[in-house]
Amino acid sequence: MDINTLLQIGGSALGGGAVFKALDYFINVKKENRSDFDMINVRLNDEIKRLYLRIDDLERENKDLESRVRLLEGSSEELPFPLWHTSLNGEYIWTNQTFNNSWLLPLGKSPESIMNKKDEDIWNKETVAMFKQLETLALQSVSREASMRSINLDDKINKPYTVFKYPLYVRRILVGFGGIAFHEAA
């Protein structure tokens, strides 16, 4: 064998070894990237499973709350004194029939017209200020309620009332305020 043939064979061997080394390097890098991807994929799948379980828990909790609200509304709908609930934003979310008949009818309003509306949209400035003051006092009170006597809500409502306000909680989280009023004997 001459020197050229030996150089060609040696060069081919070296080149082939280099190609195999480079190929081996790229395969290992690809495996590394794949294992990172697999690890991220496993984490994401675990998180998705956890979120689905949480959604199921929240749906069960929501059904429980809906049942409680229906029971509360049903048991207080026909009571002979005005009752109402407002959200933390101050928007009306529920009123009983006595509230509707005794307060809304004289004002020319319907229950539908005040839902998701605030006190400012319904009452005069004095009544709004009194409701806000009662809510603040109720939150500060040990008994979690506050009241005021001889309240004239509006010129169109002839009777004075004693008004109670109290915070509404769901699982110790403040969600709004409730109100109840008793008309005072003349």
Side-chain angles (χ1 to χ4, degrees), residues 6-23:
L6 284 176
L7 283 174
Q8 282 180 340
I9 293 172
S12 294
L14 272 175
V19 168
F20 283 124
K21 268 297 194 198
L23 190 57

Side-chain angles (χ1 to χ4, degrees), residues 4-156:
N4 283 335
T5 306
L6 284 176
L7 283 174
Q8 282 180 340
I9 293 172
S12 294
L14 272 175
V19 168
F20 283 124
K21 268 297 194 198
L23 190 57
D24 185 48
Y25 171 78
F26 286 118
I27 288 172
N28 285 335
V29 166
K30 189 79 168 170
K31 283 182 184 174
E32 246 180 62
N33 289 341
R34 178 67 188 182
S35 70
D36 288 346
F37 173 77
D38 289 342
M39 189 171 64
I40 291 169
N41 195 27
V42 166
R43 276 197 231 156
L44 287 175
N45 284 332
D46 289 346
E47 185 65 15
I48 289 169
K49 287 176 189 172
R50 187 190 70 74
L51 290 173
Y52 276 122
L53 291 173
R54 181 66 179 136
I55 289 170
D56 289 343
D57 290 344
L58 290 172
E59 286 175 347
R60 277 192 297 279
E61 192 173 315
N62 189 41
K63 286 180 184 176
D64 179 47
L65 290 174
E66 286 175 353
S67 298
R68 289 179 186 201
V69 166
R70 279 192 205 103
L71 179 66
L72 175 65
E73 288 176 353
S75 65
S76 56
E77 187 63 38
E78 300 301 324
L79 290 174
F81 32 83
L83 291 164
W84 67 99
H85 294 164
T86 58
S87 69
L88 271 182
N89 298 333
E91 298 169 340
Y92 281 81
I93 56 176
W94 176 80
T95 60
N96 75 344
Q97 194 59 47
T98 306
F99 181 99
N100 301 339
N101 294 341
S102 299
W103 291 1
L104 293 183
L105 283 178
L107 296 175
K109 298 185 184 293
S110 68
E112 295 80 22
S113 72
I114 70 158
M115 287 303 133
N116 301 312
K117 298 284 190 329
K118 296 184 177 191
D119 287 331
E120 295 83 8
D121 301 321
I122 301 163
W123 303 107
N124 60 42
K125 290 180 184 177
E126 294 80 20
T127 301
V128 171
M130 181 266 305
F131 282 166
K132 297 283 185 229
Q133 180 183 10
L134 285 175
E135 290 171 359
T136 301
L137 291 171
L139 284 175
Q140 296 169 348
S141 167
V142 174
S143 63
R144 293 288 184 225
E145 63 85 19
S147 63
M148 283 189 182
R149 297 171 85 57
S150 300
I151 302 299
N152 290 313
L153 297 165
D154 192 277
D155 293 338
K156 296 175 184 171

